[in-house]
């Protein structure tokens, strides 16, 4: 009886340790606090750092040309960008593990005119712990994550998030 209990306890402890280890491997996406700063080169070979946009609201959207929900939200993002392009708002698309020609075709297909950059090495995606695409982070003027959306986003949702952030000092 004692050896059965010892074996059972050992299995339970092993399960707890494995679960804890696996849980720590995949951290959740950041939903508050300072947004991770990174440098990127756009598809047009312009280089920026996220912190270059401090003082503006940033819509950071992770997408891929092969992603169905990304394709559905692409016109919504572009429409919102057209509404805000003359205000203190920056839209930045990050092409997650997508090759250049497919990404460029996607941008052309949807008439995307805001900044977009590839993330072929997934270093930006890993910094934000993205689990899939689309994922969107709304970053306030101070560089803090104000909102995280794990799904496609609509034009109206963006307005409801961005407008209050623009009014903040």
């Amino acid at each position: 009886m004692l050896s059965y209990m010892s074996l059972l306890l050992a299995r339970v402890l092993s399960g707890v340790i494995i679960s804890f280890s696996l849980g720590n491997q995949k951290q959740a996406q950041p939903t508050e606090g300072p947004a991770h700063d990174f440098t990127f080169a756009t598809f047009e070979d312009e280089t920026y750092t996220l912190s270059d946009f401090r003082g503006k609201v940033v819509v950071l959207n992770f997408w891929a040309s092969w992603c169905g929900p990304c394709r559905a939200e692409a016109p919504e993002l572009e429409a919102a960008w057209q509404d805000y392009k003359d205000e203190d708002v920056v839209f930045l698309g990050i092409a997650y593990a997508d090759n250049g020609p497919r990404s460029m075709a996607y941008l052309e297909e949807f008439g995307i005119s805001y900044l977009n950059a590839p993330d072929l090495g997934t270093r930006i995606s890993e910094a934000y712990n993205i689990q899939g695409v689309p994922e969107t982070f709304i970053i306030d003027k101070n560089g803090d994550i104000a909102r995280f959306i794990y799904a496609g986003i609509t034009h109206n949702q963006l307005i409801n998030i961005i407008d209050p952030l623009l009014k903040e000092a």
Side-chain angles (χ1 to χ4, degrees), residues 106-121:
Y106 174 93
L107 296 173
E108 186 175 324
E109 177 182 348
F110 293 105
I112 304 296
S113 61
Y114 54 86
L115 293 174
N116 269 273
D119 188 23
L120 294 176

Side-chain angles (χ1 to χ4, degrees), residues 149-162:
I149 298 93
Y150 182 68
I153 192 161
T154 68
H155 181 253
N156 285 337
Q157 286 174 308
L158 286 164
I159 289 170
N160 289 332
I161 297 167
I162 294 170

Side-chain angles (χ1 to χ4, degrees), residues 29 62-63 66-67 70 96 129-136 150:
Q29 299 88 335
F62 290 89
W63 61 272
W66 41 263
C67 162
C70 299
Y96 171 72
N129 296 313
I130 72 159
Q131 305 298 305
V133 285
E135 291 189 20
T136 303
Y150 182 68

Side-chain angles (χ1 to χ4, degrees), residues 43-108:
F43 287 107
E44 290 79 30
D45 290 324
E46 299 170 309
T47 301
Y48 299 94
T49 301
L50 182 63
S51 58
D52 292 340
F53 306 117
R54 191 70 41 89
K56 297 182 180 204
V57 174
V58 177
V59 177
L60 175 61
N61 175 257
F62 290 89
W63 61 272
S65 63
W66 41 263
C67 162
C70 299
R71 299 181 74 75
E73 80 173 358
E76 302 282 330
L77 286 160
E78 179 61 25
W81 166 242
Q82 291 302 319
D83 287 347
Y84 289 106
K85 68 182 183 182
D86 296 325
E87 298 190 42
D88 286 335
V89 179
V90 172
F91 279 55
L92 171 59
I94 301 294
Y96 171 72
D98 210 337
N99 73 26
R102 286 193 319 216
S103 295
M104 296 303 292
Y106 174 93
L107 296 173
E108 186 175 324

Side-chain angles (χ1 to χ4, degrees), residues 2-73:
L2 183 59
S3 73
Y4 173 76
M5 292 301 287
S6 298
L7 181 61
L8 182 61
L9 183 59
R11 284 185 179 174
V12 169
L13 285 174
S14 294
V16 169
I17 291 168
I18 289 169
S19 295
F20 182 74
S21 296
L22 290 175
N24 283 337
Q25 278 183 338
K26 278 291 190 188
Q27 298 294 322
Q29 299 88 335
T31 57
E32 60 182 11
H36 180 78
D37 199 16
F38 58 90
T39 300
F40 63 95
T42 67
F43 287 107
E44 290 79 30
D45 290 324
E46 299 170 309
T47 301
Y48 299 94
T49 301
L50 182 63
S51 58
D52 292 340
F53 306 117
R54 191 70 41 89
K56 297 182 180 204
V57 174
V58 177
V59 177
L60 175 61
N61 175 257
F62 290 89
W63 61 272
S65 63
W66 41 263
C67 162
C70 299
R71 299 181 74 75
E73 80 173 358

